[in-house]
Amino acid sequence: MEVARRNASGMHPAERRLDEDALAKIDAITERHHNQPDALIEIYHEVQDAFGYIPEGALPRIARALNISRAEARGVFTFYHDFRAEPAGRHVVKICRAESCQAMGCRSLEAYAKQRLGIGLGETTSDGEITLEAVYCLGNCALSPAVMIDGRLYGKVDPDRFDALVENVKRRAAS
């Protein structure tokens, strides 16, 4: 059945949706890691850095290069929340949902952020400006609830501070 789904070149149908440049980038990344299965997570990080997300067609390509099953490749991909199947917005806002942040009100902050941005977790605003994500520990427990915006950590975030941080990011992007 797997063979029947591949074209004459041996590519999985999802791989055929990628252009030659994309396939070459993915191949270069896997080769840089000597096609070693234990480098799968590093390979995913590099593919995501190169494309902004991990294209669907990359999974069977990487699985074949590493000689692992597509199920294994997909399992690792879906296990880690940092790997994206779609491009993120220009800014990524992560709200910590670990125990300390929960104890300090992250759930109400999360509800506020969803309402304020008009999106759910894992979604991007319609203008492509902001992606809202959950994260399960930012290591900033003493300053809970914590938020990370474009890789920068903020503590003691309440709705007013959230609004100020988001407006600041938008303002910087506009200038």
Side-chain angles (χ1 to χ4, degrees), residues 81-82 84 88-97 106 109-114 116-117 119-125 127-136 138 145-154 157-159 161-170 172:
H81 297 275
D82 276 347
R84 293 188 186 90
R90 283 182 283 283
H91 306 286
V92 177
V93 176
K94 297 180 179 185
I95 297 177
C96 184
R97 298 176 80 194
C106 76
L109 177 63
E110 175 187 317
Y112 178 79
K114 289 178 181 176
R116 173 74 167 82
L117 297 172
I119 57 175
L121 293 173
E123 296 178 352
T124 301
T125 55
D127 61 1
E129 194 68 29
I130 296 175
T131 296
L132 183 64
E133 296 181 342
V135 65
Y136 296 93
L138 291 171
V147 169
M148 181 175 277
I149 301 176
D150 296 336
R152 188 166 179 176
L153 186 60
Y154 301 93
V157 179
D158 60 14
R161 186 154 193 230
F162 180 84
D163 284 345
L165 292 169
V166 168
E167 289 307 314
N168 188 34
V169 165
K170 287 182 175 180
R172 278 188 310 199

Side-chain angles (χ1 to χ4, degrees), residues 17-18 22 26 44-58 77 82-88:
R17 287 182 236 137
L18 298 173
I26 293 165
Y44 281 167
H45 279 292
E46 287 188 35
V47 169
Q48 186 159 287
D49 288 346
F51 295 93
Y53 68 107
I54 300 177
E56 179 68 25
F77 173 72
D82 276 347
F83 298 132
R84 293 188 186 90
E86 302 286 332

Side-chain angles (χ1 to χ4, degrees), residues 2 5-7 9-20 22-24 26-27 55-65 70:
E2 178 67 25
R5 296 179 65 195
R6 296 177 185 220
N7 69 7
S9 68
M11 288 198 298
H12 186 274
E15 290 176 74
R16 284 186 263 144
R17 287 182 236 137
L18 298 173
D19 64 31
E20 289 300 319
L23 294 171
I26 293 165
D27 290 346
E56 179 68 25
L59 297 179
R61 187 91 174 179
I62 293 168
R64 191 172 47 255
R70 286 186 297 120

Side-chain angles (χ1 to χ4, degrees), residues 25-45:
K25 279 184 187 175
I26 293 165
D27 290 346
I29 291 168
T30 59
E31 289 168 11
R32 193 169 31 255
H33 290 278
H34 309 287
N35 297 327
Q36 292 296 312
D38 59 354
L40 180 58
I41 292 173
E42 289 86 357
I43 290 168
Y44 281 167
H45 279 292

